[in-house]
Amino acid sequence: FLKKIKDLKYFIKIDTNGCFPKKLKEIVNLGLVDFVSMDIKTSKENYKEIVESDVDLEKIEQSIKLISQLPNYEFRTTVVLRFHDKEEIEKIAQWLNQVCEKKPQKFCLQGFKKQEKLIDESFKQEHEIEMEKLEEMKEKVNDFFEEVEVRG
């Protein structure tokens, strides 16, 4: 399917949670992807707790490493107040730097947005984060990345 899209000269962006580094590597090696965006849920220490599953952190780190070697990519975290504060965002930044063995290209902080339908109903009680708080988090991690973007 991706090959057909690429043959039509379309730009292909992949969004991933990083759980399938072998599949990602296959797609990358075939030259079928122009941009990769990877969700980083939280710091390494808190990952399994936040995602509420026995996620394979080795696979997550393999994906981080692979993505950091691409010409066009970003890592992003959706900031949820009950899970993320400035210190937690800094731990994420440190982890990414350690795995990438360099300053990653781009990190995006995006605020959680309430929606009508949510997989986890408990998020309906969650407050949306103010842009000011996202900007404070950005300031805390600016030096860890080539670029940090805030998305409201």
Side-chain angles (χ1 to χ4, degrees), residues 25-75:
K25 186 173 185 171
E26 179 184 324
I27 293 167
V28 166
N29 287 345
L30 290 171
L32 298 176
V33 64
D34 299 291
F35 191 92
V36 178
S37 183
M38 181 174 169
D39 284 315
I40 305 295
K41 306 297 185 195
T42 193
S43 63
K44 184 177 183 176
E45 306 79 60
N46 295 323
Y47 226 88
K48 290 180 182 185
E49 178 187 340
I50 299 298
V51 299
E52 296 181 344
S53 76
D54 193 24
V55 65
D56 186 341
L57 287 171
E58 190 173 309
K59 287 183 178 179
I60 300 293
E61 289 184 339
Q62 288 171 3
S63 292
I64 291 169
K65 183 76 171 170
L66 172 65
I67 291 166
S68 73
Q69 297 166 0
L70 300 175
N72 299 301
Y73 68 90
E74 70 181 21
F75 297 110

Side-chain angles (χ1 to χ4, degrees), residues 103 137-148:
K103 273 187 180 184
M137 291 175 176
K138 174 185 175 180
E139 288 304 312
K140 185 85 170 169
V141 298
N142 255 337
D143 292 339
F144 290 93
F145 303 94
E146 298 298 327
E147 178 185 358
V148 179

Side-chain angles (χ1 to χ4, degrees), residues 108-123:
C108 297
L109 293 164
Q110 54 191 32
F112 167 78
K113 297 285 185 200
K114 282 188 190 181
Q115 298 175 1
E116 186 71 27
K117 293 183 180 181
L118 296 165
I119 294 171
D120 182 340
E121 292 291 316
S122 72
F123 282 90

Side-chain angles (χ1 to χ4, degrees), residues 72-113:
N72 299 301
Y73 68 90
E74 70 181 21
F75 297 110
R76 67 172 178 237
T77 296
T78 299
V79 179
V80 179
L81 287 173
R82 74 173 127 147
F83 301 132
H84 304 102
D85 57 19
K86 286 188 282 189
E87 288 70 31
E88 184 65 17
I89 297 300
E90 185 175 28
K91 286 180 188 176
I92 294 169
Q94 291 168 342
W95 180 38
L96 288 171
N97 273 242
Q98 180 240 324
V99 174
C100 297
E101 299 176 348
K102 65 178 183 181
K103 273 187 180 184
Q105 195 175 76
K106 187 174 183 181
F107 184 53
C108 297
L109 293 164
Q110 54 191 32
F112 167 78
K113 297 285 185 200

